[in-house]
Amino acid sequence: MEARIIESAIRVFGERGFQPTTMREIASGAGISSGSVYTYFPDKNGLFRAAVSSGWERFILELEALKELREGREERIALLLDRGFAVLREALPLLRGMLFDASRQGLVEPSIARVCGAIDALVRPDQSGMEAPDGEQALNRRNLITIMVHGILFAAALGEPERAAEALEPLKQAVLAMLRGYGMAGGPRARPR
Amino acid sequence: MEARIIESAIRVFGERGFQPTTMREIASGAGISSGSVYTYFPDKNGLFRAAVSSGWERFILELEALKELREGREERIALLLDRGFAVLREALPLLRGMLFDASRQGLVEPSIARVCGAIDALVRPDQSGMEAPDGEQALNRRNLITIMVHGILFAAALGEPERAAEALEPLKQAVLAMLRGYGMAGGPRARPR
Amino acid sequence: MEARIIESAIRVFGERGFQPTTMREIASGAGISSGSVYTYFPDKNGLFRAAVSSGWERFILELEALKELREGREERIALLLDRGFAVLREALPLLRGMLFDASRQGLVEPSIARVCGAIDALVRPDQSGMEAPDGEQALNRRNLITIMVHGILFAAALGEPERAAEALEPLKQAVLAMLRGYGMAGGPRARPR
Amino acid sequence: MEARIIESAIRVFGERGFQPTTMREIASGAGISSGSVYTYFPDKNGLFRAAVSSGWERFILELEALKELREGREERIALLLDRGFAVLREALPLLRGMLFDASRQGLVEPSIARVCGAIDALVRPDQSGMEAPDGEQALNRRNLITIMVHGILFAAALGEPERAAEALEPLKQAVLAMLRGYGMAGGPRARPR
DNA sequence: GATGAATGAGTATTCATTCAT
DNA sequence: AATGAATGAATACTCATTCAT
């Protein structure tokens, strides 16, 4: 039942955002009465937090699953891109309504940081053991990842809902092209200008 | 008077966001009664739109002023970064409260698109006349700019308010490093790995 | 308008008590919309306090007016009884609903204490200047007054609403008889047994 | 089990009063689930009535036990005062929360009437057989008792909870002094002024 | 134009009560 | 008998908006 409520909450919060969503909507979406929601969650905010947390969890778990990969760096990065954008495509409906309100409540930064960390681990040169963990290069890479993750998430979430999914592909290509420019991705190296 | 209201609205919306801000707060911030706001703006949404629009306007005008530059590409890009981050630093307080709500109302994408366009014009290789305007390379560059602009804006807006300004510098350095990697910015070329 | 709301509040709180009374009832009793009550009072509790305070104020002012009397002790006491029970008769409807809830909020003790003080000043032997203010006799008199004031107020408030007014007369007679027994009131001294 | 529930109800109603007390609190205080209360009592009001009734019962039984005394009048009255205030001291916690709400439901007047009757029987001159039961003197005595019983109960219940017990002693002394004035109690006759 | 009192629709939350297990 | 999840009615309070002055 708790899961049904979360599911309904993700759906409705995702569509309307926090404030405009009423507890009654969520309850009826879960097929229960409004009072029953309070059996499982203390209040609207608690439910929202739980919904956001649950949404991110799926997202992060998928990404962290890539950690196990033992392929070489280029392959790992390619897989990361494929998998990351695929997960993003599914999560898009939730993101649209929850990213902004969750941001204001500080529920997003820690999750994004985890995502960035997971990505950094995949992208980091293999001999990273030799890399000073807070050397300038490592910091810049980390910050660039931060910028790009935020950029992809929000650029995707901001697009029109109907075309959001299709709008992801060009973004992916752009990232791929950039990585090729760095020699970090396979395919013809497009010399950037 | 209209300007005073806008000014107050930018300040209060920026601090609290759309929903939690009351018309009375804005009115009293502008030194008038709540009813008088409706002499100048049709309703709360209209005022918000006007405030957002006004806020972006300053931002965009600053960036577009760089168009006039006749310096070489590297210099232009260096100026763009300096000026862009400087403007961003000033605009940060507004961004925090308005970016998210404005996004949901679709007030942001057009503005960001204009920003990206302005940046693209500055970054584009000089002989861009020879570039197919929708060639693959141009598209990728454009999309990469889109991602990075979104990324910088939202990463900045999401940070803690007190440390937001300082958090910008590392982001700027990361962008600089990336551009150097592409040979698009001066300074020692840090070969990316 | 504030006065109209207080008036309505006294009436409705008096009939139903605090909790069962709704803000809407009070508002409609005052001929305004429910939201307008909040223009004048911060919340239901604040309104209740104001109503109680206003109700007591009338009561106490009447009693304290007797201070000015320069008649002899017996006459003063007779007037006190007459006036006190007359005021009580008018205040009875308010008392019924407000005494209990107000008690729980501590809004009553201070007022009752003022009433008792006023009565003590009237009842005190004329040469009270010679009386030790906290001598045993003075304390006992003060406490007896306290008991009797509480007793009269609550015995009156507890009676059936319809017969409450008539039920006051026997109480008054009983007090009178007691005072006569003490030689503190005129009329045939009924020797108590 | 019924007794355990009553016990818990007396405790919780006594602390919080009727409205703020929840069935869940009472149930958990009795070590059962909230639903189970309804096996023994029809609803919250019925439980409250039962609790009030049970509380008074103890109180009244104690007083009525004094009926059996065959001592003389002065001794009976002295015992009545001692015993009555002792019982009151124990019952104080219950009174605080239940007197007011019970009053409004009319659950108190009958009990107080019984208490007053018991007291009257003890205080009445011994040759009361010769007294016209509704003669003026008897009526005044009865009403004075009514006033004083109400007065003592409510004055006690209204005091601050922590100091309630100590506050009883002065009240008792005041009653004693009054009775002495009437020659109804032993000790040095303090001539009232 | 300005005011601000009045409006009243809108919503989270509580809790007595029920009833399937 | 006992449970406690589910119910859903009930209500204080907020605030954008209006409009008489």
Side-chain angles (χ1 to χ4, degrees):
Chain A
M1 174 56 67
E2 203 171 316
R4 289 175 55 112
I5 298 173
I6 289 272
E7 193 185 5
S8 172
I10 287 181
R11 190 169 51 243
V12 189
F13 280 136
E15 282 168 13
R16 302 217 205 310
F18 182 75
Q19 260 281 358
T21 293
T22 71
M23 293 301 266
R24 191 172 298 273
E25 274 178 297
I26 294 174
S28 103
I32 59 175
S33 75
S34 61
S36 294
V37 178
Y38 292 84
T39 305
Y40 301 94
F41 301 93
D43 53 21
K44 194 183 181 183
N45 247 284
L47 174 54
F48 183 66
R49 260 191 286 273
V52 170
S53 168
S54 164
W56 275 107
E57 204 60 26
R58 304 180 194 176
F59 195 78
I60 293 177
L61 287 181
E62 292 264 17
L63 281 188
E64 291 187 333
L66 295 177
K67 269 187 198 164
E68 310 303 322
L69 295 177
R70 286 289 155 251
E71 280 79 3
R73 195 187 181 205
E74 283 198 8
E75 286 75 21
R76 284 204 316 263
I77 292 179
L79 275 168
L80 168 65
L81 271 185
D82 277 347
R83 197 77 206 107
F85 272 87
V87 173
L88 179 56
R89 194 168 291 115
E90 291 169 18
L92 220 43
L94 325 180
L95 279 183
R96 288 193 60 75
M98 298 189 352
L99 200 51
F100 304 111
D101 293 302
S103 303
R104 188 166 291 131
Q105 299 199 28
L107 305 177
V108 162
E109 276 311 85
S111 296
I112 291 188
R114 267 180 75 193
V115 169
C116 292
I119 291 175
D120 192 36
L122 289 166
V123 159
R124 191 159 44 201
D126 291 324
Q127 63 275 41
S128 66
M130 311 180 66
E131 182 192 64
D134 51 357
E136 193 190 329
Q137 203 173 106
L139 282 180
N140 282 339
R141 188 182 59 237
R142 186 63 185 263
N143 281 320
L144 192 57
I145 291 173
T146 297
I147 290 175
M148 300 204 61
V149 168
H150 279 90
I152 294 167
L153 286 176
F154 283 87
L158 284 180
E160 303 181 22
E162 313 81 48
R163 304 191 304 108
E166 303 92 81
L168 284 179
E169 191 55 29
L171 297 183
K172 184 178 167 187
Q173 292 310 322
V175 175
L176 203 55
M178 184 201 77
L179 292 174
R180 276 198 201 106
Y182 272 127
M184 279 165 148
R189 165 142 189 191
R191 188 154 181 283
R193 300 243 19 190
Chain B
M1 174 56 65
E2 204 171 312
R4 289 176 56 111
I5 298 174
I6 290 271
E7 190 186 8
S8 172
I10 288 181
R11 188 169 52 241
V12 189
F13 280 136
E15 282 169 13
R16 304 217 206 308
F18 181 76
Q19 263 280 357
T21 292
T22 69
M23 293 299 267
R24 187 174 299 271
E25 277 177 296
I26 295 174
S28 105
I32 59 174
S33 75
S34 61
S36 296
V37 178
Y38 291 84
T39 305
Y40 301 95
F41 300 93
D43 53 23
K44 193 183 183 186
N45 247 284
L47 173 54
F48 182 66
R49 260 191 284 274
V52 170
S53 168
S54 162
W56 276 108
E57 203 60 27
R58 304 180 194 177
F59 196 78
I60 293 175
L61 287 180
E62 292 264 16
L63 282 188
E64 291 186 335
L66 296 176
K67 268 188 198 164
E68 310 305 322
L69 295 176
R70 285 292 155 246
E71 280 81 3
R73 195 187 180 205
E74 284 198 7
E75 286 75 21
R76 283 203 317 264
I77 291 180
L79 275 168
L80 169 65
L81 270 184
D82 278 346
R83 198 73 205 113
F85 272 87
V87 173
L88 179 56
R89 192 169 293 114
E90 290 168 18
L92 221 42
L94 323 181
L95 277 184
R96 290 192 60 77
M98 301 193 344
L99 199 52
F100 303 111
D101 293 302
S103 301
R104 187 166 295 128
Q105 298 198 29
L107 306 178
V108 164
E109 276 311 85
S111 297
I112 292 190
R114 270 179 73 193
V115 170
C116 291
I119 292 175
D120 193 35
L122 290 165
V123 160
R124 190 159 44 203
D126 290 327
Q127 61 276 42
S128 65
M130 310 181 67
E131 182 192 64
D134 51 356
E136 194 188 330
Q137 205 174 103
L139 281 180
N140 282 342
R141 188 182 59 236
R142 184 64 183 261
N143 280 320
L144 192 57
I145 291 172
T146 297
I147 290 176
M148 300 204 60
V149 167
H150 279 91
I152 293 167
L153 286 176
F154 282 89
L158 283 181
E160 304 180 23
E162 313 81 49
R163 303 191 304 108
E166 304 91 84
L168 284 179
E169 190 56 28
L171 297 184
K172 184 179 168 186
Q173 293 309 322
V175 175
L176 203 56
M178 186 200 77
L179 293 174
R180 278 197 199 107
Y182 273 127
M184 281 165 144
R189 164 143 189 189
R191 180 142 191 290
R193 294 248 19 187
Chain C
M1 175 56 66
E2 202 170 317
R4 290 175 55 113
I5 299 175
I6 289 269
E7 193 185 5
S8 171
I10 288 181
R11 190 169 50 242
V12 189
F13 280 137
E15 283 167 14
R16 302 216 206 310
F18 181 75
Q19 260 280 357
T21 293
T22 69
M23 293 301 268
R24 190 172 299 273
E25 274 177 296
I26 295 174
S28 103
I32 58 175
S33 77
S34 62
S36 294
V37 178
Y38 292 86
T39 305
Y40 300 93
F41 301 94
D43 52 21
K44 194 183 180 182
N45 247 285
L47 174 54
F48 183 67
R49 260 191 285 273
V52 170
S53 168
S54 162
W56 275 108
E57 204 59 27
R58 303 179 194 178
F59 195 78
I60 293 177
L61 288 180
E62 293 264 16
L63 281 188
E64 291 186 335
L66 296 176
K67 268 188 198 164
E68 310 305 324
L69 295 178
R70 285 288 156 251
E71 280 79 5
R73 195 189 181 201
E74 284 197 8
E75 286 75 23
R76 284 205 316 263
I77 292 180
L79 275 168
L80 169 64
L81 271 185
D82 277 346
R83 198 76 207 109
F85 272 87
V87 173
L88 179 56
R89 194 169 292 115
E90 290 167 19
L92 220 45
L94 324 181
L95 279 182
R96 287 192 60 75
M98 299 189 352
L99 200 52
F100 303 111
D101 293 301
S103 301
R104 189 165 290 131
Q105 298 197 28
L107 306 178
V108 163
E109 277 310 85
S111 297
I112 291 189
R114 267 179 75 191
V115 169
C116 292
I119 291 175
D120 194 34
L122 290 166
V123 160
R124 192 159 43 201
D126 291 325
Q127 62 275 42
S128 66
M130 311 180 66
E131 184 193 63
D134 51 355
E136 193 189 330
Q137 205 174 105
L139 282 180
N140 282 340
R141 189 184 56 238
R142 186 61 186 264
N143 280 320
L144 192 57
I145 290 172
T146 297
I147 290 176
M148 300 203 59
V149 166
H150 279 90
I152 293 167
L153 287 176
F154 282 88
L158 283 180
E160 303 180 23
E162 312 83 47
R163 304 192 303 108
E166 302 93 82
L168 284 179
E169 191 54 29
L171 297 183
K172 183 178 167 188
Q173 292 309 324
V175 175
L176 203 55
M178 185 201 77
L179 292 175
R180 278 197 199 106
Y182 273 126
M184 279 166 147
R189 164 143 189 189
R191 181 145 191 289
R193 299 244 15 192
Chain D
M1 174 55 67
E2 206 171 310
R4 290 175 54 111
I5 298 174
I6 289 272
E7 193 185 6
S8 172
I10 288 181
R11 189 169 51 242
V12 189
F13 280 136
E15 283 169 12
R16 304 216 207 310
F18 181 75
Q19 263 281 355
T21 293
T22 69
M23 294 299 268
R24 188 175 299 271
E25 276 177 297
I26 295 174
S28 105
I32 59 175
S33 76
S34 62
S36 297
V37 178
Y38 290 83
T39 305
Y40 301 95
F41 300 93
D43 54 21
K44 193 184 182 184
N45 247 283
L47 173 54
F48 183 66
R49 261 190 285 274
V52 170
S53 168
S54 164
W56 277 107
E57 204 60 28
R58 304 180 194 177
F59 196 77
I60 293 175
L61 287 181
E62 293 263 19
L63 282 189
E64 291 186 334
L66 295 177
K67 268 188 198 164
E68 311 304 323
L69 296 177
R70 286 291 155 250
E71 281 78 5
R73 197 189 179 203
E74 284 199 7
E75 286 75 21
R76 286 204 315 265
I77 291 180
L79 276 168
L80 169 64
L81 271 185
D82 278 346
R83 197 75 206 109
F85 272 87
V87 174
L88 179 55
R89 194 170 290 113
E90 290 168 19
L92 220 45
L94 322 181
L95 278 183
R96 288 192 61 76
M98 299 192 346
L99 200 51
F100 303 110
D101 293 302
S103 302
R104 186 166 292 130
Q105 300 198 26
L107 306 177
V108 162
E109 275 313 83
S111 297
I112 292 189
R114 270 179 73 192
V115 169
C116 291
I119 291 174
D120 193 35
L122 289 166
V123 159
R124 191 158 45 200
D126 290 326
Q127 62 275 42
S128 67
M130 309 178 69
E131 182 193 61
D134 51 356
E136 194 190 329
Q137 204 174 102
L139 281 180
N140 281 341
R141 188 183 58 237
R142 184 63 184 265
N143 280 321
L144 192 57
I145 291 173
T146 297
I147 289 175
M148 301 203 58
V149 167
H150 278 91
I152 294 167
L153 286 176
F154 282 88
L158 283 181
E160 302 179 25
E162 313 82 49
R163 305 189 305 108
E166 303 92 83
L168 284 180
E169 191 56 28
L171 297 183
K172 185 178 166 186
Q173 293 308 324
V175 175
L176 204 54
M178 185 200 78
L179 292 174
R180 277 197 200 107
Y182 273 126
M184 280 165 147
R189 165 142 188 190
R191 178 137 195 295
R193 301 246 13 192

